Amino acid sequence: MTVAPGSRSAGPAKLADVAALAGVSVGTASKALNGGGRMRPETRQRVLDAVDALGFRPNQHAQSLHTGRSWTVGLMTTDGIGRFSTPVLLGAEDALGAGKISVLLCDTRGDAIREQHHLRNLMDRRVDGIIVTGRRTDPRPPLDGIEDVPVVYALSPSTDPADTSVVSDDRGGAVLAVEHLLAAGRTRIAHITGPEHHAAARDRARHAVGHLERASLGLSTGRVHHGEWSEAWGRRAADAVLSTAPDTDAFFCGNDQIARGVADALRERGVNVPGDIAVVGYDNWDTMALASRPPLTTIDMDLTEIGRIAALRLLEAIDADPAPGVHTVPCRLIVRESS
């Protein structure tokens, strides 16, 4: 569709210009842009073609008044450094951007007072919904004072089963890691992980041990080694494991930082990885996994997909079709040189 010279006044295109070019009334053009009203598909397409031809930009404020929606959602996170929240945000934006919805990012830094401050601001902005995420997989209390605004919890599930939560499948991830090592002929597997009071450490350890037991095996040291989520802990724990069980032939680690520390300790001992001992991490954090020597085989939680699914569940809730309960996103095994 082309615009004839002099067919409209100079300046930004108006809805009336769109209507005139499409050969419809202003009311019909408005309904076509808002997705409302019943009309023939070709009529709606003529309006959209006119929008492209004229470079028309709808007045978001006017649209909000007409539809009762702000076309914005809030994303609240406790993950100040963005290690976990950034991939979730990118996945959410992929889903929401297709619907021309903007995302307002709020960092609570794990502080309840700051969370309430951001929540009041989001309510004042009349957001259509909120996604809540964090840096841990531990369940968290639901938001308080949300005034019937739809909320979806991503990665960190709500403690209320009536809420909608989208989480990673830690059971599936642990099974993938252990099964990969078993398939490679490893039978003396050690497990080094983070603090026992973290749900991720407890859950991954429980499922790893359970899968080994189903294979009539146990951990090489007879227990799970809990510590910090750090490379330093990985180095110390690797030395402790090999002092206790020198015939260990594989390490399954609760995250990539620990796994990189383990790989460093093995290299310093002159142990060949993976020839003598295989190492598998968790998270698929490129900064750690790819910089490790050798690069780490690891479990990817698919945080971007968690964000995308959370956004889709939020859109359904905004349209009055909520899906309460916990929705699980599968993990993926990423095989590299360490196994």
Side-chain angles (χ1 to χ4, degrees):
M1 180 179 292
T2 57
V3 184
S7 61
R8 68 177 182 86
S9 58
K14 300 179 176 61
L15 185 60
D17 299 321
V18 172
L21 184 57
V24 300
S25 68
V26 171
T28 297
S30 176
K31 290 177 182 177
L33 292 178
N34 290 326
R38 298 181 62 182
M39 64 186 68
R40 298 169 65 184
E42 53 266 34
T43 301
R44 193 184 303 275
Q45 189 59 52
R46 285 210 314 275
V47 173
L48 296 178
D49 290 342
V51 166
D52 290 339
L54 296 172
F56 174 71
R57 298 186 63 182
N59 184 315
Q60 292 294 326
H61 179 65
Q63 281 192 320
S64 297
L65 292 175
H66 178 73
T67 63
R69 291 179 57 176
S70 66
W71 302 98
T72 58
V73 303
L75 191 146
M76 296 182 65
T77 179
T78 61
D79 179 22
I81 62 173
R83 163 69 188 92
F84 295 97
S85 62
T86 297
V88 172
L89 172 62
L90 293 175
E93 282 192 323
D94 284 346
L96 296 170
K100 310 300 182 184
I101 297 176
S102 300
V103 180
L104 302 176
L105 178 62
C106 303
D107 176 17
T108 70
R109 303 179 193 175
D111 182 80
I113 295 176
R114 189 180 293 271
E115 179 175 282
Q116 285 301 310
H117 168 72
H118 284 307
L119 189 56
R120 285 193 298 272
N121 284 340
L122 292 175
M123 293 299 101
D124 289 344
R125 289 173 177 266
R126 309 184 74 84
V127 294
D128 296 325
I130 300 173
I131 296 174
V132 180
T133 188
R135 61 178 179 268
R136 290 168 58 174
T137 62
D138 299 76
R140 54 149 294 152
L143 292 181
D144 184 35
I146 54 176
E147 303 173 11
D148 297 325
V149 173
V151 179
V152 172
Y153 299 83
L155 189 63
S156 305
S158 169
T159 54
D160 187 344
D163 288 332
T164 301
S165 300
V166 181
V167 302
S168 176
D169 180 11
D170 269 341
R171 178 187 180 280
V175 169
L176 280 174
V178 173
E179 189 58 38
H180 173 68
L181 292 172
L182 294 177
R186 313 292 174 156
T187 58
R188 298 284 294 164
I189 300 171
H191 185 48
I192 303 174
T193 191
E196 192 169 6
H197 64 273
H198 283 205
R202 291 195 311 274
D203 293 343
R204 292 166 194 173
R206 183 176 75 254
H207 296 307
V209 170
H211 195 63
L212 283 172
E213 289 175 346
R214 288 190 290 275
S216 300
L217 295 171
L219 293 171
S220 66
T221 60
R223 69 180 184 91
V224 174
H225 296 263
H226 286 283
E228 305 163 355
W229 298 112
S230 70
E231 293 175 71
W233 165 238
R235 289 191 291 270
R236 294 197 306 272
D239 288 337
V241 166
L242 293 180
S243 296
T244 303
D247 57 347
T248 296
D249 60 11
F251 284 85
F252 169 38
C253 303
N255 78 349
D256 290 337
Q257 288 169 277
I258 294 172
R260 183 171 172 181
V262 168
D264 286 347
L266 295 177
R267 188 174 64 255
E268 289 170 4
R269 282 172 167 259
V271 176
N272 180 272
V273 178
D276 299 321
I277 298 179
V279 179
V280 174
Y282 208 106
D283 290 343
N284 195 29
W285 184 12
D286 285 355
T287 302
M288 287 292 155
L290 297 180
S292 178
R293 292 187 291 169
L296 294 172
T297 292
T298 184
I299 301 298
D300 192 324
M301 294 190 292
D302 209 348
L303 295 171
T304 302
E305 181 67 3
I306 289 175
R308 191 184 74 84
I309 296 298
L312 293 177
R313 296 292 86 83
L314 184 64
L315 291 175
E316 292 171 356
I318 291 171
D319 291 334
D321 187 23
V326 177
H327 304 261
T328 303
V329 174
C331 294
R332 295 178 295 151
L333 173 70
I334 308 298
V335 179
R336 298 192 181 97
E337 289 91 326
S338 70
S339 64

